[in-house]
């Protein structure tokens, strides 16, 4: 019954997470096209310059990532992206709307977190007696352990936390940007796999990982290495307990 009661909430969170992923992909693609187009000549040599840019996508992605503070994990596979653009005329794409990008960035940075906080607040207000009693009974169990139903075990979390603290974190104590790329490059997984790992682990949708999200990312990477497929949607027991 408790699981049935939580279905609407979990469905809403999944939809928000999916919306965030799509928005981040749209943002990155928009910045890529805008950057490439801005480097094309006005008249002569457009085709030759476009070919040169497409053959240098990896470096172009790094430049765009630094310019707009975008995580490398949000970028598409360079080879596949090149194959899509090779038959397109970049000069024909419409100009990037700064106004629309400001709205998109504001939504990701402010409005989505506010929406998640609203869901959390609603959960607290609408908490039923049955749910409260079930939680109380669970916590009174002599073998109860906080976050015990998380896919990441306490032993694994301790190890991941030590590694997390050794990384080059930003001023907010989060893992992002080039530091994240460098940290996960050690896994030797393909770029598209790491892209999905990052998308799944970034539960907060902030383009950065806290210690719990980093632990989740490490767990997902280990599962891939052991031959397990990444989930299309993050299962409930994969979500860090403090972020549910």
């Amino acid at each position: 019954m408790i699981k049935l009661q939580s279905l609407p909430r979990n469905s809403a969170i999944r939809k928000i997470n999916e919306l965030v992923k799509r928005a981040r992909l749209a943002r990155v693609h928009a910045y890529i096209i805008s950057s490439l187009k801005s480097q094309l000549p006005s008249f002569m040599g457009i085709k030759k310059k476009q070919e040169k840019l497409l053959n240098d996508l990896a470096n172009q992605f790094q430049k765009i990532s630094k310019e707009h503070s975008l995580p490398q994990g949000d970028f598409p596979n360079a080879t596949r992206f090149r194959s899509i653009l090779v038959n397109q005329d970049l000069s024909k794409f419409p100009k990037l709307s700064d106004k629309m990008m400001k709205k998109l960035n504001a939504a990701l940075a402010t409005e989505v977190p506010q929406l998640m906080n609203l869901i959390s607040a609603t959960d607290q207000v609408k908490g039923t007696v049955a749910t409260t009693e079930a939680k109380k009974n669970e916590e009174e169990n002599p073998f109860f352990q906080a976050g015990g139903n998380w896919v990441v075990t306490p032993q694994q979390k301790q190890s991941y936390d030590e590694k997390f603290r050794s990384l080059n974190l930003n001023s907010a104590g989060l893992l992002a940007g080039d530091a994240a790329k460098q940290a996960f490059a050690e896994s030797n997984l393909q770029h598209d796999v790491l892209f999905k790992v990052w998308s799944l682990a970034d539960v907060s949708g902030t383009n950065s990982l806290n210690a719990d999200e980093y632990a989740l990312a490490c767990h997902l990477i280990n599962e891939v290495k052991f031959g397990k497929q990444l989930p299309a949607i993050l299962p409930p027991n994969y979500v860090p307990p403090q972020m549910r």
Side-chain angles (χ1 to χ4, degrees), residues 116-217:
M116 294 297 288
N117 289 335
L118 179 61
I119 292 176
S120 178
T122 302
D123 287 343
Q124 295 177 8
V125 173
K126 294 185 176 181
T128 62
V129 174
T131 301
T132 302
E133 286 299 320
K135 189 172 186 296
K136 179 180 179 182
N137 291 337
E138 181 185 66
E139 292 177 349
E140 289 177 349
N141 188 309
F143 299 99
F144 172 77
Q145 184 176 24
N149 64 334
W150 192 22
V151 69
V152 179
T153 67
Q155 293 78 12
Q156 291 173 332
K157 182 62 163 62
Q158 182 178 0
S159 175
Y160 295 147
D161 282 349
E162 292 178 1
K163 177 64 175 177
F164 182 76
R165 288 191 291 268
S166 71
L167 299 175
N168 184 22
L169 307 179
N170 62 20
S171 58
L174 303 174
L175 180 64
D178 289 339
K181 181 180 179 182
Q182 182 177 358
F184 291 123
E186 298 175 0
S187 67
N188 294 320
L189 294 181
Q190 294 183 355
H191 185 279
D192 56 339
V193 176
L194 290 176
F195 171 83
K196 189 170 184 180
V197 167
W198 180 275
S199 298
L200 289 169
D202 185 16
V203 179
S204 60
T206 59
N207 297 328
S208 57
L209 303 184
N210 59 28
D212 287 350
E213 291 171 319
Y214 173 76
L216 173 60

